[in-house]
């Protein structure tokens, strides 16, 4: 039994002094706006598009244009600064979300752009410029309402397999209730895509994630669905990515949960080396831990402190509405924390209108405690997409939140180092020869003193929001680590000894990975 259960408290404690702290960053105003087709969506992509290692921000705008904010921070550890610099190819309207990935494996990150209407795949050209992929790629999108995305490289393929999750069928005259659209799977046929395969039934997907959940070498597709529109007869779904994809069955261990599914986050939360999942919903947020050998997860106990089911400040006692969930160690104590973007769909009377975001900080006994007020991120805006990422290369995770009908918020992490020299960290970026230059599907196993962590490289999940940045690990007092990489084809490297407080590029070779320094903040 994991330490999460052994020491779970019987009541929720208060946050201890010296917790995480964030300060707001002055940003050019950007608002995700629109009517009922933009009640959902509002995603953000975080990635370096000009090669200086400082991540840029691209935010969906709904009825407003999507915008790119170039990171012009002066250097590692400097105060965050962004300027609006949107190329015309990105200034699209009706965008719900965005995900960065290197589709053509040329070393430059591309963008999958989700829309109410025709989705787009934009090829990165460097210097934050983009163009549509040529017709020879074979990708053709029709007119749907897309709200979820994930990608993986299946064995032997040059191009990634792409999954698009679609929401309500806007053309169904009997809708919107019980009018969920089918989802679509694009599998490559050599060096191009053919017509998409319909994944049916669809239950109004709001998040999708390819994950090698049992580390078998094959990523399956998990979908989180919104029961508000499927009403009855629907559930969460998980597709076994066999030559002909099929849904997992209860006899195999799959639990067909029914919830107002908004976002999926995946992380090994209990140190068993396998990914657990955190699901956002209306009413409660569900951390689900692996249970048994099959595709089976069970809800973590309420005493763990992860449900975040009602507003934690104010007098609105109605249930919360969770959207994007981001997992990361915001205070570098060696324990993952959880940010949950919250906000009412619009004026839904059954749920809280004044619904602050949550920041659940993990304590040393494995329980979580609400810390958003003390940390300065308890915004009351209607949040949607979000990202935790080190935006100024100082080893601390910063925060981006896109809000509906309110300006986007960016927060710089100003958390002080812990006592006894704590607050150490390491960030690792994986690279390998084409195809799949960013090693999607690889696993990082890390050891540092008593800390054990396993991390899968994925594209997808969240609520319409994706990031392609080095993987950040908080290390507490540890000043060196051991790291082992399992590459997407199953090859396992030997253990590497690495120093802490560095951002490192680990590039696959025929021998041990070639290690290069991307950044090492002073102090």
């Amino acid at each position: 039994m994991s330490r999460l259960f052994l020491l779970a408290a019987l009541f929720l404690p208060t946050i201890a002094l010296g917790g995480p702290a964030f300060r707001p960053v002055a940003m050019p105003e950007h608002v995700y706006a629109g009517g009922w087709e933009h009640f959902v969506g509002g995603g953000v992509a975080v990635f370096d598009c000009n090669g200086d290692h400082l991540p840029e921000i691209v935010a969906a705008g709904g009825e407003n244009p999507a915008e790119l904010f170039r990171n012009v921070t002066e250097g590692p550890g400097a105060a965050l600064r962004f300027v609006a610099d949107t190329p015309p190819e990105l200034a699209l309207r009706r965008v719900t979300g965005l995900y960065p990935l290197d589709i053509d494996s040329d070393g430059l990150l591309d963008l999958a752009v989700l829309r109410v209407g025709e989705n787009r795949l934009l090829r990165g050209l460097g210097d934050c410029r983009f163009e549509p992929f040529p017709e020879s790629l074979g990708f053709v999108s029709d007119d749907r309402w897309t709200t979820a995305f994930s990608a993986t490289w299946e064995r032997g393929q040059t191009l990634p397999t792409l999954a698009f999750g679609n929401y309500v069928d806007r053309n169904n005259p009997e809708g919107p209730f019980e009018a969920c659209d089918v989802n679509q799977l694009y599998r490559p046929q050599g060096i191009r895509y053919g017509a998409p395969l319909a994944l049916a039934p669809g239950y109004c997907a709001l998040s999708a994630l390819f994950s090698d959940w049992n580390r078998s070498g094959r990523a399956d597709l998990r979908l989180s669905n919104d029961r508000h529109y499927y009403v009855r007869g629907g559930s969460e779904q998980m597709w076994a990515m066999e030559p002909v994809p099929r849904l997992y069955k209860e006899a195999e261990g799959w639990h067909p949960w029914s919830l107002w599914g908004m976002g999926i986050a995946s992380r090994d939360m209990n140190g068993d080396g396998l990914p657990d999942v955190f699901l956002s919903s209306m009413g409660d947020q569900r951390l689900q831990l692996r249970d048994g050998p099959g595709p089976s997860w069970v809800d973590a106990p309420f005493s763990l402190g992860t449900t975040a089911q009602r507003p934690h400040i104010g007098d609105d006692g109605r249930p919360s509405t969770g959207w994007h969930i981001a997992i990361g160690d915001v205070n570098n104590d060696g324990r993952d924390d959880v940010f949950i973007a919250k906000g009412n769909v619009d004026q839904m009377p059954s749920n809280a209108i004044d619904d602050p975001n949550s920041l659940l900080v993990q304590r040393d006994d494995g329980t979580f405690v609400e810390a958003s007020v003390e940390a300065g991120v308890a915004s009351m805006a209607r949040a949607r997409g979000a990202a935790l990422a080190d935006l100024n290369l100082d080893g601390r995770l910063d925060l981006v939140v896109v809000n509906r009908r309110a300006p986007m918020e960016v927060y710089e992490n100003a958390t002080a180092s812990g006592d006894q020299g704590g607050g150490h960290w390491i960030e690792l970026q994986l690279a390998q020869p084409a195809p799949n230059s960013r090693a999607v599907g690889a696993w990082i196993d890390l050891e540092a003193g008593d800390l054990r962590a396993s991390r899968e490289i994925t594209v997808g999940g969240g609520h319409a929001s994706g990031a392609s940045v080095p993987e950040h690990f908080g290390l507490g007092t540890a000043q060196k680590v051991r790291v082992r990489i399992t590459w997407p084809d199953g090859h396992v490297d030997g253990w590497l000894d690495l120093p802490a407080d560095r951002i490192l590029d680990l590039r696959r070779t025929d021998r041990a990975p070639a290690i290069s320094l991307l950044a090492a903040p002073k102090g």
Side-chain angles (χ1 to χ4, degrees):
M1 185 175 293
S2 75
R3 65 185 178 92
L4 288 172
F5 299 120
L6 287 172
L7 297 174
L10 296 177
F11 56 89
L12 298 185
T14 57
I15 185 68
L17 296 175
F22 291 81
R23 53 176 170 252
V25 176
M27 291 289 294
E29 183 171 296
H30 174 81
V31 176
Y32 180 77
W36 85 286
E37 291 175 328
H38 298 294
F39 284 177
V40 298
V44 61
V46 176
F47 64 109
D48 171 26
C49 60
N50 62 1
D52 64 358
H53 308 308
L54 291 164
E56 273 68 45
I57 297 170
V58 183
E63 291 183 356
N64 292 328
E67 290 191 84
L68 184 147
F69 299 92
R70 190 183 290 258
N71 192 335
V72 293
T73 303
E74 292 185 358
L80 283 174
R81 193 164 74 89
F82 290 86
V83 296
D85 187 14
T86 307
E89 294 78 12
L90 265 182
L92 300 168
R93 297 181 186 271
R94 300 175 72 79
V95 172
T96 57
L98 313 99
Y99 288 84
L101 72 161
D102 188 1
I103 294 171
D104 56 3
S105 294
D106 65 352
L108 300 173
L109 286 167
D110 314 306
L111 275 175
V113 183
L114 316 185
R115 301 177 69 228
V116 181
E118 179 187 355
N119 298 317
R120 304 285 178 87
L121 298 181
L122 298 180
R123 181 170 177 260
L125 301 175
D127 196 29
C128 297
R129 295 178 298 116
F130 298 86
E131 67 178 9
F133 271 92
E135 292 184 3
S136 59
L137 185 68
F139 176 80
V140 177
S141 173
D142 48 19
D143 180 14
R144 298 180 190 267
W145 181 358
T146 302
T147 46
F149 177 80
S150 191
T152 190
W153 268 259
E154 296 186 88
R155 290 287 176 90
Q157 297 293 342
T158 300
L159 293 170
T161 294
L162 311 175
F164 290 85
N166 300 312
Y167 201 46
V168 174
D169 181 354
R170 302 169 356 265
N171 299 315
N172 187 331
E174 304 298 324
F177 297 101
E178 300 187 53
C180 293
D181 207 346
V182 299
N183 303 303
Q184 295 169 297
L185 185 73
Y186 289 79
R187 271 180 158 163
Q189 300 175 358
I191 60 172
R192 59 180 284 116
Y193 292 104
L197 172 68
L199 298 179
Y203 294 134
C204 290
L206 285 176
S207 190
L209 182 64
F210 280 112
S211 174
D212 184 4
W213 54 274
N214 60 355
R215 301 187 69 162
S216 67
R218 186 188 77 190
D220 293 324
L221 177 64
R222 182 162 185 157
L223 298 173
S224 193
N225 301 311
D226 183 4
R227 70 177 296 176
H228 182 72
Y229 284 121
Y230 69 67
V231 183
R232 58 181 177 269
S235 66
E236 301 290 281
Q237 294 170 304
M238 189 164 175
W239 290 87
M241 290 299 293
E242 297 172 353
V244 177
R246 65 171 182 85
L247 287 168
Y248 277 105
K249 302 175 182 178
E250 288 188 70
E252 297 173 277
W254 173 250
H255 299 294
W257 303 97
S258 180
L259 62 148
W260 292 269
M262 310 293 198
I264 303 172
S266 179
R267 185 67 59 89
D268 175 18
M269 299 295 288
N270 58 5
D272 65 359
L274 297 172
D276 307 299
V277 294
F278 213 134
L279 306 174
S280 58
S281 178
M282 290 196 300
D284 61 358
Q285 324 312 316
R286 296 191 175 191
L287 173 59
Q288 295 189 332
L289 303 170
R290 279 293 304 279
D291 176 49
S296 178
W297 289 260
V298 296
D299 288 343
F302 179 80
S303 58
L304 205 61
T306 54
T307 54
Q309 80 279 20
R310 296 187 186 277
H312 51 83
I313 55 175
D315 56 5
D316 194 334
R318 290 171 289 181
S320 285
T321 302
W323 296 90
H324 187 89
I325 294 181
I327 301 175
D329 186 353
V330 298
N331 54 1
N332 286 336
D333 63 357
R335 297 181 292 273
D336 276 325
D337 311 303
V338 182
F339 175 81
I340 306 173
K342 290 183 174 180
N344 196 286
V345 174
D346 190 55
Q347 296 289 332
M348 188 172 286
S350 61
N351 286 67
I353 299 296
D354 297 323
D355 197 2
N357 298 327
S358 283
L359 179 62
L360 306 180
V361 172
Q362 187 177 175
R363 308 196 317 164
D364 57 7
D365 65 358
T367 61
F368 290 79
V369 58
E370 178 63 61
S372 62
V373 174
E374 294 84 352
V377 296
S379 171
M380 287 288 190
R382 290 185 179 89
R384 291 297 189 262
L388 278 175
D390 182 1
L391 299 176
N392 60 350
L393 311 183
D394 66 352
R396 294 177 290 187
L397 292 174
D398 309 299
L399 176 64
V400 182
V401 186
V402 174
N403 298 310
R404 182 168 182 266
R405 293 180 175 169
M408 178 178 70
E409 296 166 312
V410 176
Y411 299 90
E412 182 177 339
N413 192 326
T415 307
S417 296
D419 297 332
Q420 290 83 45
H424 295 291
W425 54 275
I426 193 169
E427 296 179 20
L428 303 174
Q429 177 174 285
L430 303 189
Q432 66 176 12
N436 189 8
S437 69
R438 295 293 176 120
V440 174
W443 282 86
I444 302 171
D445 292 305
L446 179 145
E447 296 180 355
D450 295 331
L451 172 66
R452 301 289 183 273
S454 297
R455 187 81 53 83
E456 182 184 15
I457 308 299
T458 61
V459 175
H463 181 66
S465 302
S468 183
V469 292
E471 293 292 329
H472 172 275
F473 297 83
L475 302 177
T477 59
Q479 299 186 49
K480 59 183 179 179
V481 302
R482 299 178 69 226
V483 169
R484 181 179 63 190
I485 308 300
T486 301
W487 296 98
D489 63 2
H491 176 78
V492 182
D493 283 338
W495 287 95
L496 298 172
D497 293 314
L498 301 174
D501 305 328
R502 304 285 190 277
I503 304 175
L504 301 174
D505 181 87
L506 273 58
R507 190 165 298 269
R508 185 176 183 179
T509 72
D510 291 337
R511 298 181 179 84
I515 303 170
S516 57
L517 178 69
L518 300 182
K522 295 179 180 180

